[in-house]
């Protein structure tokens, strides 16, 4: 059943995973450089990534190789569709550190980025991350974004009020993280989400993954890049 669900997800992703952009088209990435003594793992990656011009600051992120940085947006349907596959990868590759960064390249996305970091500050990120994602998916059927009241209502079981959420969203600590998100998004020259960057320098190119075996290629390529 698990393999069937992943296969169904892969089919959906290969048909629809073009990504949510911030107003511009996502450029075709250049093929990555190959090692002269390529192993089987490196061969799996082939040209399925873009080599960042300026690597992300591992020390600032508290990251050690191998690690993956995922830029996402709660309002992105493609990020939502990819989430089960990301979870499966994380579960099967627990030696790879996974860092999630909410993208905030514009005012709309910044709202959701502040919600994410507020959840982190309030200690409810892990318990309510999926709920917030689901709320945004549900509201897409109504062609609108959730209100802050609707988001805060999800946190009532933890005693978090709308006022507490707003206070955390506007805190200096969250604002600092928002500025870092913006800086790293620009540094990586990203134009949309979901975007996965391995070891701070290899940006996964979803369009280059095998459409007939998307889930398997996704898993193997990230693993290979992590070992690269």
């Amino acid at each position: 059943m698990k393999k069937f669900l992943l296969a169904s997800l892969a089919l959906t992703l290969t048909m629809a995973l073009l990504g949510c952009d911030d107003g511009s088209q996502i450029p075709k990435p250049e093929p990555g450089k190959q090692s002269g003594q390529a192993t089987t793992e490196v061969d799996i990656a082939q040209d399925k990534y873009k080599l960042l011009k300026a690597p992300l600051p591992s020390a600032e992120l508290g990251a050690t190789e191998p690690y993956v940085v995922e830029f996402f947006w709660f309002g992105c349907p493609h990020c939502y569709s990819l989430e089960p596959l990301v979870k499966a990868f994380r579960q099967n590759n627990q030696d790879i550190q996974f860092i999630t960064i909410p993208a905030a390249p514009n005012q709309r996305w910044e709202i959701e980025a502040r919600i994410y970091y507020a959840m982190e500050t309030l200690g409810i990120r892990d318990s309510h991350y999926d709920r917030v994602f689901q709320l945004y998916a549900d509201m897409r059927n109504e062609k609108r974004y959730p209100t802050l009241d609707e988001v805060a209502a999800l946190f009532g079981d933890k005693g978090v009020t709308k006022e507490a959420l707003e206070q955390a969203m506007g805190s200096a600590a969250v604002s600092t993280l928002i500025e870092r998100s913006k800086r790293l998004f620009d540094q990586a020259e990203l134009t949309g989400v979901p975007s996965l960057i391995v070891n701070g320098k290899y940006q996964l190119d979803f369009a280059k993954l095998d459409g007939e075996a998307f889930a398997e290629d996704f898993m193997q390529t990230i693993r290979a890049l992590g070992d690269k």
Side-chain angles (χ1 to χ4, degrees):
M1 176 62 73
K2 182 177 180 182
K3 290 183 178 179
F4 174 76
L5 290 175
L6 286 177
S8 298
L9 171 64
L11 178 60
T12 301
L13 287 170
T14 53
M15 294 177 66
L17 190 53
L18 298 178
C20 296
D21 64 65
D22 61 348
S24 59
Q25 293 292 322
I26 300 177
K28 287 287 184 180
E30 299 174 359
K33 294 181 179 179
Q34 299 267 340
S35 168
Q37 297 180 333
T39 64
T40 302
E41 287 76 11
V42 173
D43 285 340
I44 290 173
Q46 297 178 15
D47 63 344
K48 301 170 187 174
Y49 64 92
K50 170 186 176 181
L51 187 64
L52 298 189
K53 295 178 181 177
L56 298 181
S58 299
E60 181 182 352
L61 291 169
T64 55
E65 295 186 5
Y67 71 94
V68 177
V69 175
E70 178 193 24
F71 286 88
F72 85 105
W73 173 45
F74 276 130
C76 172
H78 311 294
C79 299
Y80 175 77
S81 296
L82 185 66
E83 188 62 18
L85 200 53
V86 169
K87 284 185 177 180
F89 177 82
R90 295 180 68 171
Q91 183 177 356
N92 294 326
N93 297 272
Q94 297 185 22
D95 62 311
I96 295 185
Q97 184 180 1
F98 211 94
I99 301 169
T100 303
I101 298 180
N106 56 56
Q107 291 183 338
R108 174 67 252 181
W109 291 20
E110 184 175 330
I111 294 173
E112 282 72 44
R114 285 185 178 276
I115 289 173
Y116 174 86
Y117 282 131
M119 291 166 60
E120 197 170 61
T121 300
L122 295 166
I124 58 174
R125 180 194 61 184
D126 293 343
S127 60
H128 289 70
Y129 180 82
D130 289 344
R131 299 188 198 181
V132 175
F133 240 145
Q134 187 60 54
L135 177 62
Y136 274 80
D138 293 342
M139 291 302 101
R140 273 195 294 277
N141 295 328
E142 301 181 18
K143 298 182 179 180
R144 68 179 180 88
Y145 296 115
T147 65
L148 200 56
D149 287 291
E150 290 171 325
V151 174
L154 297 176
F155 308 149
D157 61 334
K158 294 295 185 179
V160 175
T161 63
K162 178 185 176 182
E163 291 70 25
L165 176 61
E166 288 180 316
Q167 183 175 4
M169 288 174 65
S171 68
V174 167
S175 293
T176 297
L177 291 170
I178 291 295
E179 290 308 309
R180 186 187 72 172
S181 171
K182 293 178 178 179
R183 172 168 51 82
L184 297 181
F185 190 91
D186 289 342
Q187 178 179 325
E189 298 183 346
L190 303 180
T191 58
V193 292
S195 290
L196 273 64
I197 300 172
V198 184
N199 289 346
K201 52 191 173 184
Y202 306 117
Q203 182 188 350
L204 181 67
D205 182 2
F206 289 98
K208 297 287 183 66
L209 298 179
D210 186 346
E212 296 183 359
F214 185 90
E216 181 180 7
D217 202 11
F218 175 86
M219 301 279 192
Q220 292 182 349
T221 299
I222 296 179
R223 178 77 254 184
L225 291 173
D227 295 337
K228 190 171 171 63

